[in-house]
Amino acid sequence: MTRARLDKLFTVLIAGVLAGLALAVAALPAALVFGIGFSALAAPYSELPNTLRTPPTPQRSNLYANDGTTLITSFYQEDRVDVPLADVAPVMRQAVIAAEDTRFHEHSGVDLRGVVRAFTVNQGTGETRQGASTLTMQYVRNVLSNDPRLSERQRAAATEMTTARKIQEMRYALALERELTKDEILARYLNIAYFGAGAYGVAAASRRYFSKPPAELTLAEAALLAGLVRSPHTDDPINGDADAALARRAYVLDRLVESGQVPAEAADRARAEQLKLRPSQTPNDCTAVPAEHNDWGFFCDWFTRWWNAQPAFGATVDERQRTLRRGGFSIVSSLDPAVQRATTEQVRRIYSVDDRRAAPTAVVQPGTGRVLAMAVNRNYGVAANPAGQKNHPNTVNQLVAGGGAIEGYQAGSTFKVFTMLAALESGLPLSTEFDAPERIVTDYSASGAASCDGYWCPRNASASMDGPHTMWTAFGESVNTYFAWLTERVGADRVVEMAERLGIAFRSEDDARLARHGAREWGPFTLGVSATTPLDLAGAYAAVAAEGSWCAPLPVVSIADAAGRPVAAARPHCRQAVDADVARAAADAARCAVGDQSMYRECDGGTAEGLRRQLGRPVAGKTGSSDGYATETVVAFTPQLAVASIAANPDDPRDAVGQRVQRQLVEAVGEVLAFALRDEPVRDFVPPSEATAFQLTGSRAGN
């Protein structure tokens, strides 16, 4: 049986039902909504009246930069964002009523006159030309067919061509109009209707077809959009039939004139207008970030990974993604476009996007964990690379934060900070002295080049480092044998535990196994043989800058749900990881490495001495080189900001970057800090107590 014949049959049946009730029209709503005769039909949808009041329509979530207005991208299954009726041009409201339900303001949800008229017209022509559905009934049908809480069978039943479904629509339409005003129903209809070309709701449609908000729609534009609702898949003028869209526009204009809402002259002018589309596509997902800001993609990717790990958004990753793509969240990220741009420029001065080597860099705010920038010399995208080039020039692999296929990179002597913190926490002061030899044989078992008769025996990078050292000078000059000795005194397991406490994740299976089952024997850990990422490293040093408060790296400043309510998951998650005085002491020693001077004037040279002069404000940090200069790392921090950058070949750890790149990294990190802090006041570090600096005490843990 054809659809036209079915429509005709349903109209006849419905007309018969309603005609039989015509004499009791005043009691019609109660009879239809609460009558025993229709109770069986309502059984599958027993919870739908509440759904109809507040429809669970999928709405896109928008991710903004930290200014709250610069759009990074959107996430959606359906491109929709609800707007209040006041934000819709009056002519658009009039047009959709003229197109779909001219008696909308006169009926109570079911238009008896419309049913009779449709029955008469359809009988006379032999085909279905007019339907009996009111705008309220159409809204009901849209809600039922889109309700994610219903099963597929229930959603199909909500739109199937049966008399029972039509009666059900009527019952709900009548009930709905007893609870909501006409404006409330119209607003809900405009926000749920599909307008074609992937645009759900009037706000998305206005943007999709005309690149403007719905409040600015003209008469011709409003009539065009209103005409699309009837057949959005075929009349869509972007992908479908533009002539059909114009014909429907003319129809809507005629109805506006007939109803007295628009003067005939204005309708004639609108009818004469050529089709003036200004299509725009709402970006969807991280690969759709603006082309001119492709580097934002790596931050966006990390944001989605963060979101997927938040239990507040669902029990599983799939649920959390559905929440993001349907929930209508307004997300203000921590990404600072200016700092991101400056960081990307510095990174690309070191390596081009075509270079096999990379310099992933992260910028983190101490005290909150918010990430201001994530940069790497790569194009974010899924475009194919030349043969043999796994991650360059294009990749979506997370080179800055790690995860997926990226385990991280060896960060060399930057890990000495964890040994120093563990030692300070155990009660050893900064003044702890050791006559560091050129080479030291430890009690840790080892094999290979770093082994002496089966024991780990590291050596210093230069013979000039031999001699007595304190933590200040040993950290500043990066004396390997001092820290090997210090690890033995403290215990390698305590050093590993300190690193984990400050957010270092073991993504490599070998590293994870050693951390869990061999930490006591992992002496080389102090020299940074474990893989890490710039984000983890920046977060760890940011905790030192924040006087021991470690904050989980955070990609957002705020999140508001579709109703504008703040979401708690956006708040910083911080904990006092080490005693404040211990962190102050570590920062004091870290000033030595970058050419600054400790509060107690104990520094005597460092591996990046030019950084203090370059920055012109108090700064601390550390450099690190892995074996054979396979990787080079620089971390620097002030009380307000921490930056970490690692030079490596992400595809081949054996491809040494060489020692010379360290100077470039130091300069780049300094430039990023200088730019990011350009408007910030100069702040000095809080000095450690004399006890932590000079006195052997008991454990200093416990903040």
Side-chain angles (χ1 to χ4, degrees), residues 335-356:
L335 179 75
D336 185 314
V339 176
Q340 173 70 23
R341 181 179 64 252
T343 307
T344 300
E345 288 174 355
Q346 291 301 320
V347 164
R348 292 186 176 180
R349 285 196 177 103
I350 300 172
Y351 296 126
S352 72
V353 294
D354 294 311
D355 202 304
R356 68 186 186 278

Side-chain angles (χ1 to χ4, degrees), residues 61-64 303 307 324 329-333 556 558-560:
S61 295
N62 293 323
L63 178 66
Y64 299 96
F303 160 78
W307 183 282
L324 174 63
F329 294 95
S330 180
I331 305 156
V332 178
S333 79
V556 295
S558 66
I559 301 174

Side-chain angles (χ1 to χ4, degrees), residues 119-306:
F119 171 67
T120 303
V121 171
N122 296 340
Q123 277 289 89
T125 62
E127 60 182 19
T128 301
R129 296 183 58 193
Q130 290 192 15
S133 290
T134 63
L135 190 147
T136 310
M137 291 167 63
Q138 292 181 46
Y139 166 71
V140 168
R141 188 183 317 134
N142 273 320
V143 173
L144 301 188
S145 63
N146 285 281
D147 189 347
R149 291 173 289 188
L150 295 181
S151 67
E152 289 297 327
R153 181 186 63 78
Q154 288 173 320
R155 280 198 291 271
T159 55
E160 65 182 349
M161 298 299 296
T162 67
T163 303
R165 190 267 295 172
K166 278 289 188 182
I167 297 295
Q168 188 75 316
E169 276 181 18
M170 291 180 183
R171 295 179 67 248
Y172 284 131
L174 290 164
L176 197 64
E177 294 235 6
R178 293 166 64 122
E179 297 195 28
L180 301 180
T181 67
K182 289 289 186 178
D183 279 355
E184 288 171 335
I185 293 170
L186 179 60
R188 285 160 171 75
Y189 177 85
L190 285 167
N191 282 319
I192 200 172
Y194 181 53
F195 290 85
Y200 293 82
V202 67
S206 302
R207 291 287 183 189
R208 181 71 179 102
Y209 291 103
F210 303 113
S211 297
K212 61 169 59 174
E216 298 176 10
L217 290 169
T218 66
L219 172 59
E221 293 165 347
L224 181 83
L225 292 183
L228 295 177
V229 174
R230 182 65 57 89
S231 302
H233 298 287
T234 57
D235 294 353
D236 157 19
I238 295 176
N239 305 304
D241 189 341
D243 290 337
L246 288 173
R248 283 290 296 170
R249 181 181 75 174
Y251 166 79
V252 175
L253 290 169
D254 288 342
R255 300 302 295 271
L256 282 166
V257 173
E258 289 174 13
S259 62
Q261 298 183 84
V262 171
E265 298 79 10
D268 289 341
R269 287 193 298 271
R271 189 182 293 104
E273 285 187 22
Q274 294 185 344
L275 186 61
K276 297 177 182 178
L277 299 177
R278 291 186 58 215
S280 60
Q281 187 78 43
T282 303
N284 193 7
D285 224 313
C286 296
T287 53
V289 297
E292 65 272 23
H293 297 297
N294 174 268
D295 56 298
W296 294 355
F298 293 98
F299 178 93
C300 176
D301 175 87
W302 176 62
F303 160 78
T304 62
R305 291 170 184 263
W306 173 85

Side-chain angles (χ1 to χ4, degrees), residues 570-639:
R571 298 172 188 160
H573 177 68
C574 304
R575 54 180 167 76
Q576 195 69 32
V578 295
D579 178 82
D581 205 37
V582 166
R584 291 170 184 168
D588 200 56
R591 302 179 74 162
C592 301
V594 293
D596 207 346
Q597 184 54 259
S598 78
M599 293 295 186
Y600 295 100
R601 315 293 302 177
E602 295 290 339
C603 296
D604 187 18
T607 56
E609 290 188 281
L611 187 57
R612 174 63 173 85
R613 292 191 302 273
Q614 178 187 357
L615 190 57
R617 65 168 68 207
V619 63
K622 187 74 182 76
T623 62
S625 305
S626 62
D627 277 350
Y629 305 110
T631 63
E632 287 289 343
T633 303
V634 174
V635 189
F637 62 93
T638 70

